[in-house]
Amino acid sequence: MSEEAKFRWIGTRVVRPDGVDKVTGRATYGADFALPDMLWGRVLRSPHAHARILSVDTSRALAHDGVEAVITSQDLPDIPSEEAFVGEQPTNFRELSHNVMARGKVLYHGHALAAVAATTPEIAASALDLIEVDYEVLPHVLDMPAAMAASAPSLHRDLEPAGFAAGATVPPNVSRRIELGHGEPDQGFAAADVVVEREFTTKPVHQGYIEPHACLVQANPDDDITIWSSSQGHFMVRAYTAKLLGIELSKVRAIPAEIGGGFGGKTTVYLEPLAAQLSRISGRPVKMVMSREEVFRATGPALGTRIRVKMGCKQDGRLTGAEAVLHYEAGAFPGSPVQAGAMTMFAPYELEHVRVTGYDVLVNKPKTAAYRAPGAPMGAFAVETVIDELAEKLEIDPIELRLRNAARKGTQAPFGPRYREIGCVETLEALRSHPHYTAPLGPNQGRGVALGFWFNAGMQSSAGLNVNEDGSVSVISGNPDIGGSRASLALMAAEEMGIDYEKVGAWIADTASIGFSDITGGSRVTFATGMAVVEAARDVKRQLCERAAAIWEVEPERVKWVEGEARLEGEPDREPLGLVDLAQRAARTGGPISGRASLTARGVGMAFGAHICDVEVDPETGRVEVIRYTAVQDAGRAIHPSYVEGQMQGGAAQGIGWALNEEYVYDEDGKMCNPSFLDYRMPVASDLPMIDTVIVEVPNPRHPYGVRGVGEVPIVPPIPAVVNAVHAATGVRYFDLPLSPPRVLAGIEAAADRGA
Amino acid sequence: MKRHVVATIDGEHAEFLCDDGQTLLDVLRDVLHRTGTKEGCGTGDCGACSVIVDGRLVCSCLMLAAEVEGREVETAISISNGDTLHPLQRRFLEDAALQCGVCTPGFLVAAKALLDRNLDPSESEVRFWLAGNLCRCTGYDKIVRSVLETAAELRGGTG
Ligand code: FES
Ligand code: FES
């Protein structure tokens, strides 16, 4: 299309603005800040999965040489229940406060219950041993069946379960029931030629960002608090810290550090309120950095799930009905992404009859946090595995079966609305025509495919665009750059302004220097913050035209901004005015030229991804090796294709790890047994092949450049793609993650026994 | 009692005081404020803290600071020659081989150690050499490609 040709910068693979800093070690991440006179904070964590705190004696710790402050929940305000207004998953400030510092009870192994600030990290660590805690150990629940048994101990006595009919019996530890869908699935099953019903389980897994949580906080005597920390949203850090300390948001300034990965896990706080309180008490800056073990034990992993799926299909491959029941582990406080799981699992398909019921279940494990398309990969695992089985039973090619049922414009989504422009069919077709799909396979090898969906988020964003005195342009936004978003924002600004990319600087401002911006999450920055940048640029162009009009003494309507300069309509001989000219004359034409935009981004582009995975399974050991992998995804429009590919490859790798290796292993006391990168085995370079990518572009008509979010979709298809591939290689269907060698081998041996 | 250590770090003379138990990583980051070397785990499992000591690739979180007495330490900072980026750094940027970038200094150091001894590694050699470095963002694809392309460039090949 000729539209493509008219872009000068969109779709190019420029070097990111923050690139040189990041390859030379100059970029400053959360743990890289220091201040004179700084103290080091450490956290005392519960050795029990569930216990009442009878008493905490901090006097010996406080008396220890070098210790400047010790806090417990008694040093933080007991705040009222209030729904949090920022963040990613549903959160309540009171629960957040109790998660950051246990009050009355500890609810999981690793739960924070006191914190110390001392002159060195070593002194802080040794002071923790001097805090005396008297516990009454309570019975705990680690899995959902146990948590929901009639005799189960309750985590929260004041729990008010939502979504149940009046008078319904609610099992213990269920905080919420949800239901969605349309039609009558039973009718659909009655009309089906084949019905498959299966139950699936997945274990909690960690986002595995390489940078542990870290912050530096300085509280001044007038109670202004400055926070340097790495997070997916410094406005979130400001709000959570202020709320938990019971102070005004205006008193807190959060300065974003570079962030060393988040994937949803840094959409909440753990350390900042504690460091702030320690700093207020000690009068000195306090730095806190988690150890990797603390990250595993005490930050929110992604949840474990139990999912039952039933789907019916006609001989001709038309799906007739679908039903699912989801149990999602929220951890120690309510708020699993069960709603998102329920909404996304059947979203790629046109279904007349579909119903999903979901439960949010509390267990004595860390409060879960978002992880890339929160809640969706597990649902896709269940649905896409059942679809694979249907395709096998009906002897229909699995991509063809999906295409026959694929959602398109006008299809009613299971969560209600009808889709606008979506690229589900285009994505599947690109997958089918990829040479990978028909490449030959060797012995013990198998191929699987899967489809995935994610909404993507809009939410609120702010951006500013300043024309500098020399005519260069600075783009300012309020979203931490987690994987190249400075580049995509700068590209859009350059395109919009009609100037060279090299003339654009991209900066992330602190909470006192830019309007409110929701978190970097929901794949929303290039989409929503990009929209704000484009609006700010248009604001600036309007001003530039006005300035030129003033210089030329003409009506502003006669001036147009074309290819980076103001031109006077109807007078082609008039020398145009460029950014440098107008910047130099700014003082005399009305002052600095600066535009801004703050908006709630509407018109989010929902997105689909589809993956092909080839595996080779060692029949002797059950080890699965991924030997070839291809990811296809509708990006709407790829602003910076390399970073879109990077999202696809990174999401695929995480999904492969989730499918094959990663899991939280607990002992019976509720202690995580594998809190290190050695024992929590994430994929390393030698575990993976190259990950091929195909970017499909079905532009989102409601974004100025057609953008859809790209960051989350790619983690949705990998689990079922891998599991379906293992089935193809072994003939065995697996329903429980991860597909570690012992589990795979047990499946192969059981099948051999049955066959023998 | 602190120990007095003299070493060469990134080509510069460096002196510091450290406790016997302090790791090289702690000293680099917290004593010398050279925070370009990152900590991802502190247990030798992620490679974010990779440095080269007398030509050998090590995890600085596993080495005691006192052990570098009289030795030469290279971190990600000394990969570039002043303002001129090393070909590896340039390739990483051009190929978008970093997303969050926190693993990047470690990968660059490890990749340089590889290319210093083998300018013609196979893809599989690159993958196994870098298996001690975790990256959670990229899926390794673009990192491995960057290293292979840099090797070709340095061999004077396809550059
Ligand atoms: S910090 Fe040294 S290997 Fe992870
Ligand atoms: S780029 Fe984020 S961990 Fe590698």
Side-chain angles (χ1 to χ4, degrees), chain A residues 210, chain B residues 98-104 134-138:
Chain A
I210 304 302
Chain B
L98 55 145
Q99 285 174 34
C100 79
V102 80
C103 68
T104 308
L134 286 174
C135 173
R136 192 59 157 172
C137 298
T138 63

Side-chain angles (χ1 to χ4, degrees), chain A residues 407-419:
Chain A
R408 36 193 97 218
K409 187 173 179 179
T411 298
Q412 183 179 12
F415 46 90
R418 294 192 179 276
Y419 291 118

Side-chain angles (χ1 to χ4, degrees), chain A residues 23 29 32 207 645 662, chain B residues 29 38 89 100 136 142:
Chain A
V23 297
Y29 293 81
D32 296 343
Q207 298 84 354
E645 293 161 3
E662 298 180 32
Chain B
R29 293 182 52 81
K38 305 298 174 190
Q89 292 170 308
C100 79
R136 192 59 157 172
K142 294 186 190 302

Side-chain angles (χ1 to χ4, degrees), chain A residues 638-662:
Chain A
I639 301 297
H640 191 305
S642 300
Y643 288 106
V644 173
E645 293 161 3
Q647 290 295 323
M648 294 163 71
Q649 292 162 335
Q654 284 183 318
I656 291 167
W658 197 338
L660 293 179
N661 290 307
E662 298 180 32

Side-chain angles (χ1 to χ4, degrees), chain A residues 3-20:
Chain A
E3 202 193 351
E4 312 283 321
K6 80 177 189 216
F7 289 132
R8 186 166 154 216
W9 294 107
I10 303 291
T12 61
R13 299 175 187 254
V14 292
V15 168
R16 61 199 279 174
D18 51 330
V20 172

Side-chain angles (χ1 to χ4, degrees), chain B residues 25 38-50 59-62 132:
Chain B
L25 179 62
K38 305 298 174 190
E39 173 163 357
C41 67
T43 52
D45 300 312
C46 77
C49 65
S50 299
C59 289
S60 61
C61 72
L62 292 184

